[in-house]
Amino acid sequence: MKSNILAWLEEGNITVPSLLFSEYRKLNLNETELVLLLNILTFLERGNYFPTPEELSARMTISTADCHEMLRRLMQRGFLEIIEQYSNEGIRFEKYSIKPLWERLVEQFLVNHQSGLQEATRKTEEM
Amino acid sequence: MKSNILAWLEEGNITVPSLLFSEYRKLNLNETELVLLLNILTFLERGNYFPTPEELSARMTISTADCHEMLRRLMQRGFLEIIEQYSNEGIRFEKYSIKPLWERLVEQFLVNHQSGLQEATRKTEEM
Amino acid sequence: MKSNILAWLEEGNITVPSLLFSEYRKLNLNETELVLLLNILTFLERGNYFPTPEELSARMTISTADCHEMLRRLMQRGFLEIIEQYSNEGIRFEKYSIKPLWERLVEQFLVNHQSGLQEATRKTEEM
Amino acid sequence: MKSNILAWLEEGNITVPSLLFSEYRKLNLNETELVLLLNILTFLERGNYFPTPEELSARMTISTADCHEMLRRLMQRGFLEIIEQYSNEGIRFEKYSIKPLWERLVEQFLVNHQSGLQEATRKTEEM
C-alpha cells in the first residue's frame, strides 16, 4: 500500500496559472494545441528537455506527423521556442521553452486587466 | 506594478497530477474532453460549482450545444458526476464532481504500476 | 489500494510561490510564524475560513495561548487580516485573509527585482 | 509591467501535500525543521541539488552552525538523505533527497486512515 502511494507521489504534479484555461481561446489556441504545450511542460519538469514528436503523439490522439506539424506551427506563431543550454560539464543541448506562451498569457492578462480598470473608471466617472 | 502582480496572483493556479497528461488517451479521452474537465476544475476551485455549458463553451473552441452534449457523454461514460451538497445554512445545491475522473486515473495508474512490477519480477526470475 | 490513493488525493496539495521561502526572513517572519500562516492557508483551502487558535496549535509545536498571541501580532504587523464576507444566502461571516502577506511578498520581490535591474544597468555603464 | 509579472512567474511555485502541514508535528518535526526541509525542496526544484548550510541559513533565522547540525540530525532521524546520481555525461554528483520525509508522511497517513476505517467499522458494528 505504502509503495503505491509513494509511486503515485513520485509521478508529481503540474501547476499552471488558472488563466491559461480561461484565456487560451483568446490567444487563438485550440484544445489540442493547449494540451500539446502542457505535455511539453510535463516532459520539461521530468528533465526530458526535448521530447520528440513520437514521444508527444504517443500520449495524444494525433499522429506523429500532425504533432510534428503542430510543433512547427506553434514555434512559428510564437508560443514555443527551442533554446540552447549548456550542462554543468559544458556540453551544449537543445531545450524546448514555453516562455513565449507565458509572455502571450501575461500580455492578454494585462489587456483584460487594463480594460477592466478603464471600465471601472468610466463607471465611476459616469456616476 | 504591485497591483498587477497581485491581480495575477489572485487569479490562482491549478495543480493536477502529471499522470493526467500521460494517461488521458488510455482513458479514451480526447484533448477537448480533457480541457473541458480541467475547465470544470478551474470553475470549482473558484467557487462556481455548477458552470453552465454557456460559461464553459465561452472559453473553449466548441459551441454551447456541443459542450452540452459533451458534458452529457462524460457523465454517461463515468468521468464526471453531479452531486448534491448542503450549504452551511442548510440550502441544497448541485455541484459537479470530477472524482470519477480521479478514480479512473488511479485505476489506470495501478494497472501500469502492477504490470511494471510483474515485468520487473519476471525479469528477475529469468536471470 | 485504490481507496488509499484516492483518500491521499482528496487531502489535496498546497501551492505557494517559491519566493515565500527565500524571502520570509527579509519580511521579518520567523519559521513558526511562516508555518502558522501556511496552516491558515491550508484551512482556508479546505473551506474552514476562521480556524481557532485551538485548531491551529493542535498541529503545531506551540501552545494555544502562544498561537493566539502570534495571530494577534501577525495582524498588528500587517501579515494577516480578518475580512467579512456574505454567503450566497446573505449571511455574514468572518474569514482570515493572508492577502497582506502576498502584498508584502510582492513589495519585497519588486525591491529585489528593481535593485537587480539597477545593478545590471550600473554594470553595463561601467563597461 | 509585463517583465515584472514574467519575472514573478519565473520564480515558480512549490506544491506540497496539505497533509505535511497537518502531520509534521506527529512526525516529531518542529517548524524550523519543516521549513528547512521545504527550503531544500525549493533548491532541488531550481536545480541546486546540494545547497550548503550557508545557502540554507542565509534565508532562515538560524546560524550556519545550527543549520549544519539540523541537517545532520534530520538525516540521522530519517527525514533526509544524500544520494548519488550521474549526469548525462556520466559525472557523479551528490544530491539531497527528501524521499524519506514523504515515506514518513505516507506511513502517518496510512495510520490515520486505517484507524479512521477501523473506527467507522466499530461504529457500524455497535449499531
Side-chain angles (χ1 to χ4, degrees):
Chain A
M1 275 195 315
K2 184 182 146 194
S3 72
N4 274 313
I5 301 182
L6 278 172
W8 174 273
L9 240 178
E10 270 170 27
E11 293 291 336
N13 292 299
I14 190 157
T15 299
V16 290
S18 302
L19 275 167
L20 184 59
F21 291 98
S22 57
E23 305 303 320
Y24 71 87
R25 181 198 173 159
K26 288 191 200 151
L27 299 177
N28 292 317
L29 290 170
N30 64 32
E31 285 76 15
T32 311
E33 292 164 336
L34 174 64
V35 173
L36 178 54
L37 290 165
L38 290 171
N39 266 320
I40 291 171
L41 183 60
T42 65
F43 274 106
L44 289 173
E45 302 222 333
R46 300 286 286 189
N48 182 342
Y49 296 133
F50 205 59
T52 62
E54 285 75 18
E55 287 174 303
L56 288 161
S57 65
R59 44 166 80 182
M60 297 183 69
T61 70
I62 54 173
S63 70
T64 304
D66 287 350
C67 184
H68 188 89
E69 176 62 16
M70 201 175 273
L71 289 167
R72 200 186 60 77
R73 294 258 305 134
L74 286 169
M75 284 190 272
Q76 204 177 46
R77 293 163 60 205
F79 291 104
L80 181 66
E81 64 186 356
I82 298 173
I83 58 175
E84 292 193 353
Q85 283 208 329
Y86 288 84
S87 74
N88 291 334
E89 287 80 35
I91 293 168
R92 195 180 68 82
F93 63 96
E94 292 194 316
K95 183 179 172 174
Y96 277 120
S97 165
I98 59 167
K99 196 176 161 186
L101 171 66
W102 302 134
E103 291 188 24
R104 302 283 288 270
L105 186 62
V106 169
E107 280 164 17
Q108 182 62 44
F109 164 76
L110 289 172
V111 167
N112 296 351
H113 194 55
Q114 220 52 41
S115 66
L117 289 180
Q118 278 167 13
E119 202 166 315
T121 311
R122 198 169 51 244
K123 279 185 184 162
T124 312
E125 286 170 349
E126 282 168 1
M127 289 196 309
Chain B
M1 278 196 309
K2 185 182 147 193
S3 72
N4 274 314
I5 301 182
L6 278 172
W8 175 272
L9 241 179
E10 269 170 27
E11 293 291 335
N13 292 299
I14 190 159
T15 299
V16 290
S18 301
L19 276 167
L20 184 59
F21 291 97
S22 57
E23 305 302 322
Y24 71 89
R25 180 198 174 159
K26 288 192 199 152
L27 299 178
N28 292 317
L29 290 169
N30 65 33
E31 285 76 16
T32 311
E33 292 165 335
L34 174 63
V35 173
L36 178 55
L37 289 165
L38 290 171
N39 266 321
I40 291 172
L41 183 60
T42 64
F43 274 107
L44 289 172
E45 302 222 335
R46 299 287 286 190
N48 182 342
Y49 296 133
F50 204 59
T52 62
E54 284 75 18
E55 287 174 303
L56 288 161
S57 65
R59 45 166 80 183
M60 297 182 69
T61 70
I62 56 173
S63 70
T64 303
D66 287 349
C67 184
H68 188 88
E69 176 62 16
M70 201 174 274
L71 289 166
R72 200 187 59 77
R73 294 259 304 134
L74 286 169
M75 284 190 271
Q76 202 178 46
R77 292 163 62 205
F79 291 104
L80 181 66
E81 64 186 357
I82 297 173
I83 59 174
E84 292 192 353
Q85 284 209 329
Y86 288 84
S87 74
N88 290 335
E89 287 80 35
I91 293 168
R92 195 179 68 82
F93 64 95
E94 292 194 315
K95 181 179 172 175
Y96 277 120
S97 165
I98 59 167
K99 195 176 163 186
L101 172 66
W102 302 134
E103 291 189 23
R104 302 284 288 273
L105 186 63
V106 169
E107 281 165 17
Q108 182 62 44
F109 164 75
L110 289 171
V111 167
N112 296 351
H113 193 55
Q114 220 54 40
S115 67
L117 288 180
Q118 278 167 13
E119 201 166 315
T121 311
R122 197 168 55 242
K123 279 184 183 162
T124 312
E125 286 169 348
E126 281 169 358
M127 292 199 303
Chain C
M1 276 194 312
K2 186 182 144 192
S3 72
N4 273 313
I5 301 182
L6 278 172
W8 175 271
L9 241 178
E10 270 170 27
E11 293 291 336
N13 292 299
I14 191 159
T15 299
V16 290
S18 302
L19 276 166
L20 184 59
F21 291 98
S22 56
E23 305 303 321
Y24 71 88
R25 182 198 172 160
K26 287 191 200 152
L27 299 178
N28 291 318
L29 290 169
N30 65 32
E31 285 76 17
T32 310
E33 293 164 334
L34 174 63
V35 174
L36 178 54
L37 290 166
L38 289 171
N39 267 321
I40 291 171
L41 182 60
T42 65
F43 274 106
L44 289 173
E45 302 223 334
R46 302 285 287 188
N48 182 341
Y49 296 133
F50 204 60
T52 61
E54 285 75 16
E55 288 174 301
L56 289 161
S57 65
R59 44 166 79 185
M60 296 183 68
T61 70
I62 54 174
S63 71
T64 304
D66 287 349
C67 184
H68 188 89
E69 176 63 15
M70 201 175 274
L71 289 167
R72 200 185 60 76
R73 294 260 303 134
L74 285 169
M75 284 189 272
Q76 202 178 47
R77 292 164 61 205
F79 291 103
L80 181 66
E81 64 185 355
I82 297 173
I83 59 174
E84 291 193 353
Q85 284 208 327
Y86 287 84
S87 73
N88 290 334
E89 286 81 34
I91 293 169
R92 196 178 67 83
F93 63 96
E94 291 194 316
K95 183 180 171 174
Y96 277 120
S97 165
I98 59 166
K99 195 175 162 185
L101 172 66
W102 303 133
E103 291 190 23
R104 302 285 287 271
L105 186 62
V106 170
E107 280 165 17
Q108 182 63 44
F109 164 75
L110 289 172
V111 167
N112 295 351
H113 193 55
Q114 221 52 43
S115 67
L117 289 180
Q118 278 167 13
E119 200 164 318
T121 311
R122 196 169 54 244
K123 278 183 184 163
T124 311
E125 286 170 348
E126 282 170 359
M127 290 198 306
Chain D
M1 275 192 314
K2 185 181 145 194
S3 72
N4 274 313
I5 302 182
L6 278 172
W8 174 272
L9 241 179
E10 269 169 28
E11 293 291 336
N13 292 298
I14 191 158
T15 298
V16 291
S18 302
L19 276 166
L20 184 59
F21 291 98
S22 57
E23 305 303 320
Y24 71 87
R25 182 198 172 159
K26 288 192 199 151
L27 299 177
N28 291 317
L29 290 169
N30 65 33
E31 286 74 17
T32 310
E33 291 164 335
L34 173 63
V35 173
L36 178 55
L37 289 165
L38 290 171
N39 267 321
I40 291 172
L41 182 60
T42 65
F43 274 108
L44 289 174
E45 302 223 333
R46 302 286 286 190
N48 182 342
Y49 297 133
F50 204 59
T52 61
E54 284 75 17
E55 287 174 302
L56 288 160
S57 65
R59 43 166 80 182
M60 297 183 68
T61 69
I62 55 173
S63 70
T64 303
D66 288 348
C67 184
H68 188 90
E69 176 63 15
M70 200 175 274
L71 289 167
R72 200 186 61 76
R73 294 258 305 135
L74 286 169
M75 285 190 271
Q76 202 178 47
R77 292 163 62 204
F79 290 103
L80 181 65
E81 64 186 355
I82 297 173
I83 59 175
E84 291 192 355
Q85 283 209 329
Y86 287 85
S87 74
N88 291 334
E89 287 82 33
I91 292 169
R92 196 179 67 83
F93 63 95
E94 291 194 316
K95 182 179 171 173
Y96 277 120
S97 165
I98 59 167
K99 196 176 161 185
L101 171 66
W102 302 133
E103 292 190 22
R104 302 284 288 273
L105 186 62
V106 169
E107 280 165 17
Q108 181 62 44
F109 164 74
L110 288 171
V111 167
N112 295 351
H113 193 55
Q114 219 53 42
S115 67
L117 289 179
Q118 278 168 12
E119 201 166 317
T121 311
R122 196 170 54 244
K123 279 186 183 160
T124 312
E125 286 170 348
E126 281 170 359
M127 291 199 305

